[in-house]
Amino acid sequence: MKKIISIIAISFLPVLNIYAQGELLSEEFKDIKGYRETAAKQKEALIKQSLVEPVFLTANKEGYDVKYYSIDLDINPTTHIITGSVLVRAEVVSDSLTLIDLDLMNNMNVDSITQNSSLLTYTHSQNLITIDLSQTYYSEEIFEIKINYSGTPASTGGFIGTPFVFGSYNSKPMIYSTVTSARYWWPCKDFPVFPFEGYPYDKADSMDINISVPANLIVLSNGKLVNVIDSGQNKIYQWQERYAILPMAVSLFIYPYLEYSDWFKYSDSDSMQIKFYYFEDRYPSISPYFSKAKEMLKFFSDSFGLYPYINEKYGCALWNFYNLSMAAQSMAVFYYGHSQMEIFVSHELSHQWWWYRNNNDVRHDWLSEGFADYSAALWGEYKYGEAYYDNFMQQQKYFGSGSIYWEDPATQNYDVDLIYLKGSWVLHMLRHILGDTTFLMF
């Protein structure tokens, strides 16, 4: 099966409205460009923030490889305090190891750190926890520690300062994390939101994510929901992620959602659950577009290879974070204020293939956003025909100067015309040079 290379990406795609007959209008596309420019400014701001508050790569980090995290948290929507623990299981990859470093912002309180029920000594400074292990560990040995902590995640205002949000919708609590910086709300071996060349990944092989909230709330997270424990006043949602995952991709979306399921039948004998999470007042306008996710899953699986998280789920949810959408591992969230967003849904779904994969250099972001925009065009061609595809690409065209390669993110603007539009046109060109048989599966 042919596959196109995949790439790390965070998707903040502005909404592309689509009429029922599949006709994309130039006037709508002008509005889309405005949303994209807003998203570009946020990406630029994140780059600047990463220069001010870098994620330090230390020798104590390089000495171990995280295999597993278990997050157990109680989230209080009234006090905005999270309380709980994170268990870290890791393998030593250096000759020997006595100290490890984990990332956690200084405003969060570390209550204690234990190993085999024994208290460990540690320091917490410059957003870094340095921990003395109970003994010297040697290459290939496994160790576990547990960090007990609490606090209110910091927020400095604006998108870049809101990696964990206590908000509301229709006077009801809405709590969510954004795919930016895990260290703002849980201790881990974090990863720059926009990585620089040479910074190594450290994906955990698996995770358990156990979140306690008031019983009227629903928790959506990565992986598969394996249990809900009802204790009366609270419910504990137990999510299992059994695919490799970066800390920054660990996501929570919490609200008294209207919820239902569908199934993507990917073989004669098996299916995968699709989960939908709505605001009750938005259900009539959003449902027709979310319902297309099942057919999109089949189309993209046929085109790019089987959905990457097939043993878990795909989830679609609404949120009220600016006017932006976001792809997270095995799910995506969409701004509630747009009623017609079929292309929006297809773009974000395609990021499950073109997202968090092999490349850790933000300068190649066109390989994420260009592929996702082009995937939306391919979906339109499949669903509505060649004329729709041609119209989409005409709206998408950009022949201005400049490279799709973002050479210097620290000093150059994030150019949406180059990265989204021209990026998709490079793929449009390659497809017609190579031909469908080579370029695609359909």
Side-chain angles (χ1 to χ4, degrees):
M1 181 172 289
K2 296 181 175 61
K3 297 181 182 178
I4 308 173
I5 59 171
S6 43
I7 185 73
I8 184 169
I10 295 175
S11 172
F12 300 112
L13 174 72
V15 174
L16 295 172
N17 287 344
I18 181 171
Y19 283 99
Q21 67 268 32
E23 182 182 355
L24 183 69
L25 301 182
S26 298
E27 290 76 11
E28 292 178 312
F29 207 87
K30 291 177 183 177
D31 293 336
I32 294 158
K33 185 176 181 180
Y35 285 118
R36 281 180 169 162
E37 288 171 351
T38 298
K41 290 178 182 177
Q42 303 298 352
K43 288 192 175 185
E44 289 176 22
L46 282 167
I47 288 292
K48 293 177 182 178
Q49 177 179 288
S50 69
L51 297 174
V52 175
E53 292 184 355
V55 179
F56 296 108
L57 180 60
T58 67
N60 292 336
K61 283 186 180 180
E62 292 184 292
Y64 68 96
D65 174 31
V66 175
K67 298 298 182 183
Y68 169 79
Y69 291 110
S70 178
I71 300 177
D72 291 87
L73 292 181
D74 179 87
I75 297 178
N76 190 318
T78 302
T79 64
H80 296 184
I81 293 174
I82 63 175
T83 305
S85 66
V86 172
L87 182 143
V88 183
R89 181 184 303 140
E91 178 182 358
V92 178
V93 295
S94 58
D95 291 337
S96 62
L97 192 67
T98 58
L99 296 171
I100 68 165
D101 289 335
L102 292 170
D103 298 292
L104 183 67
M105 298 301 287
N106 282 346
N107 70 292
M108 301 298 285
N109 303 311
V110 177
D111 301 316
S112 65
I113 301 177
T114 60
Q115 185 176 21
N116 300 324
S117 301
S118 298
L119 290 172
L120 301 180
T121 60
Y122 62 90
T123 60
H124 187 191
S125 177
Q126 294 185 305
N127 306 320
L128 200 68
I129 311 171
T130 299
I131 304 164
D132 293 289
L133 298 173
S134 60
Q135 65 184 65
T136 300
Y137 287 85
Y138 298 95
S139 180
E140 299 185 355
E141 289 189 322
I142 302 293
F143 65 88
E144 286 187 358
I145 62 168
K146 179 182 284 188
I147 303 95
N148 302 294
Y149 73 107
S150 61
T152 301
S155 176
T156 58
F159 171 77
I160 62 172
T162 52
F164 196 93
V165 177
F166 285 92
S168 64
Y169 177 77
N170 279 351
S171 302
K172 298 175 183 178
M174 184 169 194
I175 305 162
Y176 48 82
S177 64
T178 61
V179 179
T180 52
S181 302
R183 63 190 180 277
Y184 276 76
W185 63 281
W186 66 283
C188 58
K189 189 176 176 182
D190 205 1
F191 185 77
V193 61
F194 288 106
F196 47 86
E197 186 176 17
Y199 197 107
Y201 283 96
D202 194 355
K203 290 185 176 183
D205 296 337
S206 64
M207 288 192 68
D208 286 303
I209 304 165
N210 305 310
I211 307 298
S212 175
V213 293
N216 65 311
L217 299 178
I218 290 174
V219 179
L220 169 63
S221 191
N222 312 91
K224 179 184 291 187
L225 182 63
V226 295
N227 197 17
V228 179
I229 302 172
D230 190 344
S231 63
Q233 291 186 335
N234 280 23
K235 287 183 179 178
I236 301 173
Y237 286 80
Q238 298 182 322
W239 289 88
Q240 284 185 350
E241 176 58 84
R242 294 299 180 258
Y243 290 93
I245 185 170
L246 283 170
M248 62 177 283
V250 177
S251 302
L252 301 176
F253 304 100
I254 302 170
Y255 187 75
Y257 284 111
L258 179 68
E259 174 187 8
Y260 82 92
S261 298
D262 202 345
W263 296 87
F264 165 47
K265 187 173 178 59
Y266 61 90
S267 75
D268 292 338
S269 60
D270 214 344
S271 299
M272 180 195 72
Q273 192 172 36
I274 314 171
K275 301 283 288 186
F276 301 98
Y277 299 84
Y278 294 91
F279 302 152
E280 186 173 4
D281 62 326
R282 299 288 171 172
Y283 179 84
S285 60
I286 298 298
S287 179
Y289 301 98
F290 275 11
S291 66
K292 294 182 184 291
K294 179 165 65 173
E295 189 177 0
M296 290 177 184
L297 278 162
K298 183 180 187 310
F299 170 71
F300 288 136
S301 290
D302 290 343
S303 301
F304 307 143
L306 187 61
Y307 175 70
Y309 309 105
I310 196 64
N311 293 324
E312 295 180 342
K313 62 108 178 35
Y314 183 61
C316 295
L318 294 180
W319 70 347
N320 60 347
F321 187 66
Y322 291 80
N323 296 338
L324 302 173
S325 74
M326 184 179 75
Q329 187 160 311
S330 75
M331 60 183 177
V333 285
F334 303 89
Y335 178 63
Y336 70 90
H338 303 278
S339 61
Q340 296 176 316
M341 51 184 178
E342 184 170 341
I343 298 175
F344 195 24
V345 173
S346 63
H347 177 111
E348 295 304 332
L349 173 57
S350 75
H351 272 305
Q352 302 302 320
W353 285 265
W354 318 127
W355 188 75
Y356 289 128
R357 284 291 188 263
N358 303 320
N359 193 293
N360 65 340
D361 192 336
V362 70
R363 294 173 296 181
H364 295 286
D365 202 40
W366 81 271
L367 285 169
S368 166
E369 302 301 352
F371 266 86
D373 263 13
Y374 192 64
S375 296
L378 292 175
W379 162 256
E381 178 185 24
Y382 165 80
K383 188 68 176 176
Y384 302 110
E386 187 175 347
Y388 175 89
Y389 171 86
D390 290 341
N391 184 43
F392 184 101
M393 294 311 300
Q394 284 300 310
Q395 305 294 340
Q396 193 86 350
K397 68 183 178 182
Y398 176 74
F399 301 126
S401 62
S403 172
I404 56 177
Y405 176 71
W406 190 13
E407 187 172 356
D408 188 0
T411 61
Q412 295 175 332
N413 292 335
Y414 186 96
D415 193 321
V416 294
D417 289 335
L418 292 173
I419 292 171
Y420 281 80
L421 306 187
K422 196 169 184 177
S424 68
W425 262 79
V426 167
L427 298 170
H428 177 61
M429 173 191 70
L430 286 174
R431 176 189 178 184
H432 289 280
I433 290 175
L434 296 173
D436 283 359
T437 302
T438 301
F439 191 77
L440 293 168
M441 291 297 298
F442 70 93

Coordinates of all heavy atoms in Angstrom, one line a residue, residues 10 12-14 32-50 157-161 180 193-194 321-322 324 365 369 406 409-410 412-417 419-420:
I10 N 0.8 20.8 14.2 CA -0.4 21.3 15.0 C -1.3 22.0 14.0 O -0.8 22.8 13.3 CB 0.0 22.2 16.1 CG1 0.9 21.4 17.1 CG2 -1.2 22.7 16.8 CD1 1.4 22.3 18.2
F12 N -4.3 24.5 13.2 CA -5.3 25.5 13.6 C -5.9 26.0 12.3 O -5.5 27.1 11.8 CB -4.6 26.6 14.4 CG -3.9 26.1 15.6 CD1 -2.6 26.1 15.7 CD2 -4.7 25.6 16.7 CE1 -2.0 25.7 16.9 CE2 -4.1 25.2 17.8 CZ -2.7 25.2 17.9
L13 N -6.7 25.2 11.7 CA -7.2 25.5 10.4 C -8.5 26.4 10.5 O -9.4 26.0 11.2 CB -7.6 24.3 9.6 CG -8.3 24.5 8.3 CD1 -7.3 25.1 7.3 CD2 -9.0 23.3 7.7
P14 N -8.5 27.5 9.9 CA -9.7 28.3 9.9 C -10.8 27.6 9.1 O -10.5 26.8 8.2 CB -9.3 29.6 9.2 CG -7.8 29.6 9.3 CD -7.4 28.2 9.3
I32 N -11.8 32.7 4.9 CA -10.9 31.7 5.4 C -9.5 32.2 5.5 O -8.8 31.9 6.5 CB -10.9 30.5 4.4 CG1 -12.3 29.9 4.4 CG2 -9.8 29.5 4.7 CD1 -12.6 29.1 3.2
K33 N -9.1 33.0 4.6 CA -7.7 33.6 4.6 C -7.5 34.4 5.9 O -6.5 34.3 6.5 CB -7.4 34.4 3.4 CG -5.9 34.9 3.4 CD -5.6 35.6 2.1 CE -4.2 36.1 2.1 NZ -3.8 36.8 0.8
G34 N -8.5 35.1 6.3 CA -8.4 35.9 7.5 C -8.3 35.0 8.8 O -7.4 35.3 9.6
Y35 N -9.0 33.9 8.8 CA -8.8 33.0 9.9 C -7.4 32.4 9.9 O -6.8 32.2 10.9 CB -9.8 31.9 9.8 CG -11.2 32.3 10.2 CD1 -12.3 32.2 9.3 CD2 -11.5 32.7 11.5 CE1 -13.6 32.6 9.7 CE2 -12.8 33.0 11.9 CZ -13.8 33.0 11.0 OH -15.1 33.4 11.3
R36 N -6.9 32.1 8.7 CA -5.6 31.5 8.6 C -4.5 32.4 9.1 O -3.6 32.0 9.8 CB -5.3 31.1 7.2 CG -6.0 29.8 6.8 CD -5.7 29.4 5.4 NE -6.1 28.1 5.0 CZ -6.2 27.6 3.8 NH1 -6.0 28.4 2.8 NH2 -6.6 26.4 3.6
E37 N -4.7 33.7 8.8 CA -3.7 34.7 9.2 C -3.7 34.8 10.7 O -2.6 35.0 11.3 CB -4.0 36.0 8.6 CG -3.7 36.0 7.1 CD -4.2 37.3 6.3 OE1 -4.9 38.1 7.0 OE2 -3.8 37.5 5.2
T38 N -4.9 34.7 11.4 CA -4.9 34.7 12.8 C -4.1 33.5 13.4 O -3.4 33.6 14.3 CB -6.4 34.6 13.3 OG1 -7.1 35.7 12.9 CG2 -6.4 34.5 14.8
A39 N -4.3 32.3 12.8 CA -3.6 31.1 13.2 C -2.1 31.3 13.0 O -1.3 30.9 13.9 CB -4.1 29.9 12.4
A40 N -1.7 31.9 11.9 CA -0.3 32.1 11.7 C 0.3 33.0 12.7 O 1.5 32.8 13.2 CB -0.1 32.8 10.3
K41 N -0.4 34.0 13.2 CA 0.1 34.9 14.2 C 0.3 34.1 15.5 O 1.3 34.4 16.3 CB -0.8 36.1 14.4 CG -0.8 37.1 13.3 CD -1.8 38.2 13.5 CE -1.9 39.2 12.4 NZ -2.9 40.2 12.6
Q42 N -0.6 33.2 15.8 CA -0.4 32.4 17.0 C 0.8 31.5 16.9 O 1.5 31.3 17.9 CB -1.7 31.5 17.2 CG -3.0 32.3 17.3 CD -3.0 33.3 18.5 OE1 -2.1 33.3 19.3 NE2 -4.0 34.2 18.5
K43 N 1.1 30.9 15.7 CA 2.2 30.1 15.6 C 3.5 30.9 15.7 O 4.5 30.5 16.4 CB 2.2 29.4 14.2 CG 1.2 28.3 14.1 CD 1.4 27.5 12.8 CE 0.4 26.3 12.8 NZ 0.7 25.4 11.7
E44 N 3.5 32.1 15.2 CA 4.7 33.0 15.3 C 4.9 33.3 16.8 O 6.0 33.3 17.3 CB 4.5 34.3 14.5 CG 4.6 34.1 13.0 CD 4.3 35.4 12.3 OE1 4.4 36.5 12.9 OE2 3.9 35.3 11.1
A45 N 3.8 33.6 17.5 CA 3.9 33.9 18.9 C 4.5 32.7 19.7 O 5.3 32.9 20.7 CB 2.5 34.3 19.5
L46 N 4.1 31.5 19.4 CA 4.6 30.3 20.0 C 6.1 30.2 19.8 O 6.8 29.8 20.7 CB 3.9 29.1 19.6 CG 2.5 28.9 20.2 CD1 1.7 27.8 19.4 CD2 2.6 28.5 21.6
I47 N 6.6 30.5 18.6 CA 8.0 30.5 18.4 C 8.7 31.4 19.3 O 9.8 31.1 19.9 CB 8.3 30.8 16.9 CG1 7.8 29.7 16.0 CG2 9.8 31.1 16.7 CD1 8.6 28.4 16.1
K48 N 8.2 32.7 19.4 CA 8.9 33.6 20.2 C 8.9 33.2 21.7 O 9.8 33.4 22.4 CB 8.2 35.0 20.1 CG 8.4 35.6 18.7 CD 7.6 36.9 18.5 CE 7.8 37.4 17.1 NZ 7.0 38.7 16.9
Q49 N 7.7 32.6 22.1 CA 7.7 32.2 23.5 C 8.7 31.1 23.8 O 9.3 31.0 24.8 CB 6.3 31.6 23.8 CG 6.1 31.1 25.2 CD 4.8 30.6 25.5 OE1 3.8 31.4 25.7 NE2 4.6 29.3 25.6
S50 N 8.9 30.2 22.8 CA 9.8 29.1 23.0 C 11.2 29.6 23.1 O 12.1 28.9 23.7 CB 9.7 28.1 21.8 OG 10.2 28.6 20.6
G157 N -2.7 34.8 29.3 CA -3.6 35.5 28.4 C -3.2 35.3 26.9 O -2.0 35.1 26.6
G158 N -4.2 35.2 26.1 CA -3.9 35.0 24.7 C -3.7 33.5 24.5 O -3.5 32.7 25.4
F159 N -3.6 33.1 23.2 CA -3.5 31.7 22.9 C -2.2 31.1 23.5 O -2.2 30.0 24.0 CB -3.5 31.5 21.4 CG -3.1 30.1 21.0 CD1 -4.0 29.1 21.1 CD2 -1.8 29.8 20.5 CE1 -3.7 27.8 20.7 CE2 -1.5 28.5 20.2 CZ -2.4 27.5 20.3
I160 N -1.1 31.8 23.4 CA 0.2 31.2 23.8 C 0.3 31.0 25.3 O 1.1 30.2 25.7 CB 1.4 32.1 23.3 CG1 1.3 33.5 23.9 CG2 1.4 32.2 21.8 CD1 2.6 34.3 23.7
G161 N -0.6 31.7 26.0 CA -0.5 31.5 27.5 C -1.6 30.7 28.0 O -1.9 30.7 29.2
T180 N 0.0 22.5 23.2 CA 1.1 23.4 23.2 C 2.2 22.9 24.1 O 3.2 22.4 23.7 CB 0.6 24.8 23.6 OG1 -0.1 24.7 24.9 CG2 -0.2 25.4 22.6
V193 N 6.9 22.8 21.5 CA 5.7 22.8 20.7 C 6.0 22.9 19.2 O 5.4 22.3 18.4 CB 4.7 23.9 21.2 CG1 5.2 25.2 21.0 CG2 3.4 23.7 20.4
F194 N 7.0 23.7 18.9 CA 7.6 23.8 17.6 C 9.1 23.4 17.7 O 9.9 24.3 18.0 CB 7.4 25.1 16.9 CG 5.9 25.4 16.6 CD1 5.1 26.2 17.4 CD2 5.3 24.7 15.5 CE1 3.8 26.4 17.1 CE2 4.0 24.9 15.2 CZ 3.3 25.8 16.0
F321 N -12.6 27.8 21.8 CA -11.3 28.4 21.9 C -11.0 29.2 20.7 O -10.8 28.7 19.6 CB -10.3 27.3 22.1 CG -8.9 27.8 22.4 CD1 -8.6 28.5 23.6 CD2 -7.9 27.6 21.5 CE1 -7.3 28.9 23.8 CE2 -6.6 28.0 21.7 CZ -6.3 28.7 22.9
Y322 N -11.1 30.6 20.8 CA -10.9 31.5 19.7 C -11.8 31.0 18.5 O -12.9 30.5 18.7 CB -9.4 31.5 19.3 CG -8.6 32.2 20.3 CD1 -8.2 31.6 21.5 CD2 -8.3 33.6 20.2 CE1 -7.4 32.3 22.4 CE2 -7.5 34.2 21.1 CZ -7.1 33.6 22.2 OH -6.4 34.2 23.2
L324 N -10.7 28.7 16.3 CA -9.7 27.7 15.7 C -10.1 26.3 16.0 O -10.9 26.0 16.9 CB -8.4 28.0 16.3 CG -7.8 29.4 16.2 CD1 -6.5 29.5 17.0 CD2 -7.5 29.7 14.7
D365 N 6.8 22.7 8.0 CA 5.4 22.7 8.4 C 4.5 22.6 7.2 O 3.3 22.1 7.3 CB 5.0 23.9 9.2 CG 3.8 23.7 10.1 OD1 3.7 22.6 10.6 OD2 3.0 24.6 10.2
E369 N 0.5 21.1 6.8 CA -0.7 21.9 6.5 C -1.0 21.8 5.0 O -2.1 21.9 4.5 CB -0.5 23.4 6.9 CG -0.3 23.6 8.4 CD -1.4 23.1 9.2 OE1 -2.5 22.7 8.7 OE2 -1.3 23.0 10.5
W406 N 10.1 27.0 5.5 CA 10.2 28.1 6.4 C 11.6 28.2 7.0 O 11.9 27.6 8.0 CB 9.1 27.9 7.5 CG 8.9 29.1 8.4 CD1 9.3 30.4 8.3 CD2 8.2 29.0 9.6 NE1 8.9 31.1 9.3 CE2 8.2 30.4 10.1 CE3 7.5 28.1 10.3 CZ2 7.6 30.7 11.4 CZ3 6.9 28.4 11.5 CH2 6.9 29.7 12.0
P409 N 12.3 30.4 11.4 CA 11.1 30.7 12.1 C 11.3 31.8 13.2 O 10.3 32.5 13.5 CB 10.7 29.4 12.8 CG 11.3 28.3 11.9 CD 12.6 28.9 11.4
A410 N 12.5 31.9 13.6 CA 12.8 32.9 14.7 C 12.7 34.3 14.2 O 12.3 35.3 14.9 CB 14.2 32.7 15.3
Q412 N 11.5 35.1 10.6 CA 10.6 35.2 9.4 C 9.1 35.0 9.9 O 8.9 34.2 10.8 CB 11.0 34.3 8.3 CG 12.3 34.5 7.7 CD 12.7 33.5 6.7 OE1 12.3 32.3 6.8 NE2 13.5 33.9 5.7
N413 N 8.2 35.7 9.2 CA 6.8 35.4 9.5 C 6.4 34.1 9.0 O 6.9 33.5 8.0 CB 6.0 36.5 8.7 CG 6.1 37.9 9.3 OD1 6.5 38.0 10.5 ND2 5.9 38.9 8.5
Y414 N 5.3 33.6 9.6 CA 4.7 32.3 9.2 C 3.8 32.7 8.0 O 2.7 33.3 8.2 CB 3.9 31.7 10.3 CG 3.3 30.3 10.0 CD1 4.0 29.2 10.4 CD2 2.1 30.2 9.4 CE1 3.4 27.9 10.1 CE2 1.5 29.0 9.1 CZ 2.2 27.9 9.5 OH 1.7 26.6 9.2
D415 N 4.1 32.3 6.8 CA 3.4 32.8 5.6 C 2.4 31.7 5.2 O 2.7 30.7 4.7 CB 4.5 33.0 4.5 CG 3.9 33.7 3.3 OD1 2.7 33.4 3.0 OD2 4.6 34.5 2.7
V416 N 1.1 32.0 5.5 CA 0.1 31.1 5.2 C -0.1 30.8 3.7 O -0.5 29.7 3.3 CB -1.3 31.5 5.8 CG1 -1.2 31.5 7.3 CG2 -1.7 32.9 5.3
D417 N 0.2 31.8 2.9 CA 0.1 31.6 1.4 C 1.1 30.6 1.0 O 0.8 29.7 0.1 CB 0.3 32.9 0.7 CG -0.8 33.9 0.9 OD1 -1.9 33.5 1.2 OD2 -0.6 35.1 0.8
I419 N 2.8 28.2 3.0 CA 2.7 27.0 3.7 C 1.4 26.2 3.4 O 1.5 25.0 3.2 CB 2.9 27.2 5.2 CG1 4.4 27.7 5.4 CG2 2.7 26.0 6.0 CD1 4.7 28.2 6.8
Y420 N 0.3 26.9 3.5 CA -1.0 26.2 3.2 C -1.3 26.1 1.7 O -1.5 25.0 1.2 CB -2.1 27.0 3.9 CG -2.3 26.7 5.4 CD1 -1.5 27.4 6.3 CD2 -3.3 25.9 5.8 CE1 -1.7 27.2 7.7 CE2 -3.5 25.7 7.2 CZ -2.7 26.4 8.1 OH -2.9 26.2 9.4

